[in-house]
């Protein structure tokens, strides 16, 4: 049980880097970018093929990131230049990537059993158990990326990217080409997704054509969980940007912990996707239902108030 | 300054929804002109503003600003020259971002964005000073999210943002129409104050005939995509709402101004 939990934490952190990518598009740009499923697998495939080809595992992971960036740029290109709706542009890239990923690997999966990875090197170097090594590597990468994103979204270009998701008309009126900012955000986002795919591939020691399936839903679920935690946890600075980014990664860890627990309780691994979908659907439903409920309650209350007022004036007569 | 010559725009050309929004519009502004634009719904006032701002491309004609032909420039490229305030208070600001962040983005209008820090410390003092001049207490709320401000505060902020870097031309598209009368008056006062202070060339669309007469040095009336009346100087000063209505009926062939114009 403890080992499974440790594994879940390490997986959660490595997937958390993908969640940061999803955060950029979903939370900052206000786009649900479906490229993610494809670019995650792309990262894994590129990384696996390079590692098998004898490339340094760190270089392989960086190449996975670059590949993800290219995938994001393709979606961005379809969306901004040809004005294809973002969701559709993402789906097109995602579907295309399936074939590309198969071409890259030449088969549907590539095992890395006897090859050096970042994680095996870390284990060899420190003598730590592989899960702990994975957690350390994951935390280092996640911290570097969170700091980097915090810096980037504080710059002039980064501010413009954030504002694009907020109010496109305003950003254009202030002289920023929103096509460029969307392109930047989509490229950056999918770069992180590709990087995460590469890291996951090295940590699980294989890449699979289906490894990205449902990644976007995992990303959304993790963001939703992270946001809830951020609100609930005491002392958390509610709107600080760095906190929001960190909470996305923490959300990812919690997601994988929940998953591990549910699996330990005997749930079929294949049902996990349904559970993820339900978590996200609920998270999206609850605010809407809650608001409707509030409105209705306010109305019934006002009805009651006026009826009691009427009664009292009548009584007064 | 600003010259529109033979500018035309048709929306949904060739369909049942075809709308000739601007028909052969000609307009010339000299530096320092403050022009108010009135007209009924669908007269082409907002379209005129959007054509100058580059929101949609024009079908025909040319738009020149300070000797530069901007007819073909994209909206972001034109932003260098233009300060804009919209009718919808939500449209001019980014709700999820801080007041200073909004101002800092406006400060960089028309400049190439770099990887330099988005808001510098020196700027913050400047913004606090400029916000204080608005008299809305916003200088104490520099890091508040703009979404927490009222419509009037947001319009005042947008106005400040539009003029933070002095624009060659200020475009005000019914920027007080969505506000309550008292707030609208306040924002109009600020508008006059800022325009006078920076001697801005301004185009202001309004539905309020009194405001149109009271403010600016020149008045334009539009009807069905054409500029049908253009009056300036002393003649404009002595203008009354009654005159305007009469003029409107005259040029538009007896049609009455719509309710919204009459009421305001």
């Amino acid at each position: 049980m403890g080992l499974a939990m440790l594994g879940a934490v390490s997986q959660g952190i490595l997937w958390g880097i993908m969640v940061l990518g999803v955060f950029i598009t979903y939370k900052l740009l206000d786009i649900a970018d479906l490229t993610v499923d494809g670019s995650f697998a792309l990262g894994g495939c590129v990384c696996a093929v390079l590692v098998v080809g004898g490339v340094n595992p760190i270089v392989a992971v960086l190449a996975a990131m670059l590949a993800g960036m290219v995938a994001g740029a393709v979606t961005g290109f379809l969306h901004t230049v040809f004005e294809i709706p973002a969701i559709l542009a993402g789906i097109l890239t995602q579907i295309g990537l399936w074939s590309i990923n198969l071409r890259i690997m030449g088969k549907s999966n590539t095992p890395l059993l006897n090859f050096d990875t970042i994680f095996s090197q870390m284990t060899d170097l420190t003598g730590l158990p592989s899960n702990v090594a994975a957690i350390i590597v994951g935390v280092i990468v996640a911290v570097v990326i969170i700091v980097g994103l915090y810096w980037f979204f504080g710059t002039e270009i980064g501010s413009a990217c954030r504002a694009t998701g907020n109010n496109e008309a305003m950003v254009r009126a202030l002289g920023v080409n929103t096509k460029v900012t969307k392109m930047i955000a989509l490229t950056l986002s999918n770069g992180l997704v590709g990087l995460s795919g590469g890291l996951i591939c090295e940590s699980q020691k294989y890449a699979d054509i289906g490894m990205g399936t449902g990644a976007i839903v995992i990303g959304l679920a993790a963001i939703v969980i992270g946001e809830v935690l951020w609100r609930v946890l005491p002392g958390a600075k509610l709107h600080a940007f760095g906190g929001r980014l960190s909470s996305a990664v923490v959300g990812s860890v919690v997601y994988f912990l929940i998953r591990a627990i549910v699996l330990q309780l005997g749930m079929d691994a294949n049902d996990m996707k349904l559970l993820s979908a339900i978590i996200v659907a609920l998270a999206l439903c609850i605010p809407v239902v809650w608001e409707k409920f509030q409105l209705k309650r306010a109305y019934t209350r006002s009805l009651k108030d006026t009826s009691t007022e009427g009664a009292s004036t009548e009584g007064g007569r | 300054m600003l010259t529109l010559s033979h500018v035309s725009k048709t929306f949904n050309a060739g369909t049942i929804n075809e709308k000739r929004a601007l028909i052969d519009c000609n307009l010339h502004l000299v530096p320092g002109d403050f022009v108010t634009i009135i007209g009924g719904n669908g007269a082409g006032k907002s379209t005129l503003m959007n054509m100058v701002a580059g929101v949609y491309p024009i079908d025909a004609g040319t738009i020149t600003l300070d000797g530069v032909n901007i007819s073909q420039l994209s909206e972001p490229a034109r932003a260098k020259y233009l300060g804009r305030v919209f009718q919808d208070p939500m449209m001019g600001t980014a709700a999820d971002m801080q007041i200073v962040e909004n101002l800092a983005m406006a400060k960089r209008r028309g400049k190439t964005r770099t990887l330099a820090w988005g808001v510098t410390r020196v700027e913050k003092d400047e913004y606090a000073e400029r916000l204080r001049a608005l008299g809305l207490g916003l200088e104490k709320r520099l890091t508040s999210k703009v979404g927490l401000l009222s419509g009037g505060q947001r319009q005042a902020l947008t106005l400040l943002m539009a003029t933070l870097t002095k624009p060659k031309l200020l475009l005000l598209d019914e920027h007080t129409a969505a506000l309550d009368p008292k707030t609208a008056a306040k924002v109009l006062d600020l508008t006059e104050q800022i325009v006078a202070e920076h001697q801005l060339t301004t185009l202001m669309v309004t539905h309020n005939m009194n405001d149109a007469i009271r403010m600016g040095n020149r008045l334009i009336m539009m009807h069905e995509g054409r500029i049908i009346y253009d009056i300036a100087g002393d003649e404009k000063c002595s203008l009354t709402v009654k005159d305007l209505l009469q003029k409107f009926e005259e040029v538009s062939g007896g049609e009455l101004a719509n309710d919204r114009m009459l009421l305001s």
Side-chain angles (χ1 to χ4, degrees):
Chain A
M1 184 79 182
L3 205 63
M5 291 301 127
L6 215 55
V9 172
S10 72
Q11 249 190 324
I13 294 172
L14 296 177
W15 276 85
I17 291 154
M18 179 215 65
V19 177
L20 288 172
V22 176
F23 184 91
I24 294 173
T25 45
Y26 182 64
K27 278 289 161 187
L28 300 184
L29 215 54
D30 204 16
I31 287 176
D33 174 29
L34 300 182
T35 316
V36 169
D37 285 21
S39 54
F40 187 82
L42 174 68
C45 297
V46 166
C47 181
V49 168
L50 289 179
V51 168
V52 169
V55 175
N56 178 303
I58 294 180
V59 176
V61 163
L62 292 177
M65 182 163 121
L66 270 178
M69 290 172 85
V70 173
V74 170
T75 301
F77 189 71
L78 292 175
H79 176 48
T80 58
V81 178
F82 298 113
E83 295 173 13
I84 298 173
I87 294 219
L88 189 52
I91 293 176
L92 292 175
T93 313
Q94 184 205 107
I95 292 298
L97 279 172
W98 176 274
S99 305
I100 290 173
N101 291 343
L102 269 177
R103 287 272 173 194
I104 290 172
M105 290 202 293
K107 52 193 173 183
S108 61
N109 62 67
T110 306
L112 305 179
L113 285 177
N114 299 316
F115 293 92
D116 257 1
T117 67
I118 297 177
F119 306 97
S120 68
Q121 285 176 344
M122 184 80 180
T123 320
D124 293 346
L125 205 70
T126 58
L128 289 166
S130 62
N131 274 334
V132 178
I135 291 175
I136 292 173
V137 172
V139 167
I140 292 170
V141 177
V143 167
V144 168
I145 286 170
I146 289 174
V147 170
L149 289 178
Y150 185 82
W151 165 76
F152 175 73
F153 285 106
T155 65
E156 292 172 353
I157 295 176
S159 300
C161 290
R162 276 191 294 150
T164 302
N166 230 256
N167 188 343
E168 244 188 281
M170 166 227 182
V171 177
R172 273 201 299 266
L174 294 181
V176 178
N177 190 339
T178 50
K179 291 181 179 173
V180 175
T181 50
K182 284 182 180 174
M183 198 75 181
I184 292 173
L186 281 165
T187 307
L188 185 61
S189 160
N190 282 289
L192 295 181
V193 174
L195 171 65
S196 174
L199 287 170
I200 286 291
C201 153
E202 290 198 13
S203 81
Q204 69 190 14
K205 291 208 152 247
Y206 72 87
D208 182 272
I209 185 71
M211 68 189 278
T213 312
I216 180 73
V217 181
I218 295 177
L220 296 179
I223 288 171
V224 165
I225 295 170
E227 272 188 348
V228 171
L229 288 176
W230 202 238
R231 263 179 222 155
V232 172
L233 288 180
K237 267 167 94 189
L238 243 149
H239 293 295
F241 189 64
R244 287 177 73 195
L245 291 174
S246 317
S247 74
V249 178
V250 175
S252 169
V253 172
V254 171
Y255 173 87
F256 279 92
L257 280 173
I258 295 173
R259 189 178 127 123
I261 292 168
V262 179
L263 291 180
Q264 290 272 319
L265 292 176
M267 198 179 89
D268 187 334
N270 287 324
D271 289 339
M272 196 54 209
K273 291 223 194 309
L274 176 63
L275 186 66
S276 314
I278 291 173
I279 291 177
V280 175
L282 277 180
L284 297 177
C285 292
I286 289 169
V288 178
V289 174
W290 179 246
E291 193 173 329
K292 282 187 180 163
F293 170 72
Q294 291 284 13
L295 283 175
K296 208 172 235 178
R297 199 171 64 168
Y299 183 71
T300 27
R301 207 177 269 167
S302 78
L303 271 187
K304 219 178 270 170
D305 286 353
T306 46
S307 69
T308 47
E309 259 170 44
S312 64
T313 42
E314 264 169 42
R317 270 182 215 158
Chain B
M1 187 67 210
L2 174 74
T3 308
L4 273 73
S5 62
H6 307 291
V7 171
S8 295
K9 179 69 186 178
T10 305
F11 289 108
N12 307 314
T15 72
I16 194 158
N17 292 321
E18 183 171 291
K19 166 84 186 157
R20 298 187 70 187
L22 284 183
I23 304 163
D24 197 33
C25 278
N26 293 292
L27 181 67
H28 180 74
L29 264 60
V30 297
D33 257 354
F34 185 160
V35 182
T36 56
I37 306 176
I38 55 168
N41 290 332
K45 310 180 300 290
S46 289
T47 308
L48 186 74
M49 298 295 244
N50 286 336
M51 293 301 127
V52 174
V55 179
Y56 319 104
I58 51 175
D59 293 344
T62 50
I63 303 174
T64 335
L65 185 65
D66 227 7
V68 183
N69 184 348
I70 60 167
S71 319
Q72 301 281 317
L73 288 185
S74 70
E75 189 184 0
R78 287 185 209 192
K80 196 193 299 182
Y81 313 112
L82 307 172
R84 289 161 69 194
V85 186
F86 312 91
Q87 177 175 359
D88 181 355
M90 305 298 143
M91 244 179 106
T93 43
D96 290 344
M97 296 175 77
Q98 300 170 356
I99 293 178
V100 271
E101 289 178 321
N102 273 274
L103 285 164
M105 278 192 289
K107 180 80 182 177
R108 289 159 179 76
R109 176 168 52 79
K111 299 199 185 82
T112 312
R113 318 268 156 159
T114 65
L115 289 175
W117 205 242
V119 194
T120 61
R121 198 155 297 177
V122 190
E123 280 175 69
K124 285 188 186 170
D125 298 334
E126 184 199 336
Y127 298 152
E129 204 52 50
R130 299 289 293 264
L131 285 167
R132 194 167 295 124
L134 296 181
L136 297 170
L138 294 181
E139 68 276 6
K140 297 186 202 91
R141 301 172 64 186
L142 283 178
T143 54
S144 293
K145 295 275 153 72
V146 170
L148 300 171
L149 306 185
S150 69
Q153 288 172 326
R154 281 180 84 155
Q155 279 312 63
L157 180 62
T158 311
L159 192 60
L160 178 58
M161 283 166 62
T163 53
L164 205 51
T165 301
K166 189 182 169 184
K168 286 195 170 156
L169 178 67
L170 179 62
L171 299 176
L172 307 170
D173 191 357
E174 290 192 54
H175 66 308
T176 57
L179 307 176
D180 66 81
K182 204 178 144 198
T183 317
K186 170 86 184 157
V187 171
L188 283 180
D189 283 348
L190 281 173
T191 307
E192 283 196 304
Q193 183 190 320
I194 289 174
V195 167
E197 185 186 335
H198 302 281
Q199 295 170 342
L200 299 170
T201 312
T202 306
L203 272 180
M204 180 176 107
V205 171
T206 178
H207 259 107
N208 188 312
M209 291 199 183
N210 282 314
D211 293 340
I213 293 168
R214 187 174 58 82
M215 295 179 71
N217 64 328
R218 187 171 163 194
L219 183 149
I220 287 172
M221 189 188 276
M222 293 189 71
H223 182 65
E224 289 180 347
R226 295 175 203 271
I227 296 172
I228 54 168
Y229 188 45
D230 187 344
I231 184 171
D234 294 341
E235 224 184 323
K236 176 182 175 286
C237 291
S238 56
L239 206 63
T240 63
V241 172
K242 211 176 138 197
D243 294 341
L244 271 186
L245 286 173
Q246 201 179 359
K247 196 77 201 167
F248 192 81
E249 281 172 43
E250 204 177 291
V251 229
S252 64
E255 256 180 87
L256 260 176
N258 65 51
D259 296 349
R260 202 168 152 208
M261 279 177 75
L262 282 171
L263 287 171
S264 45

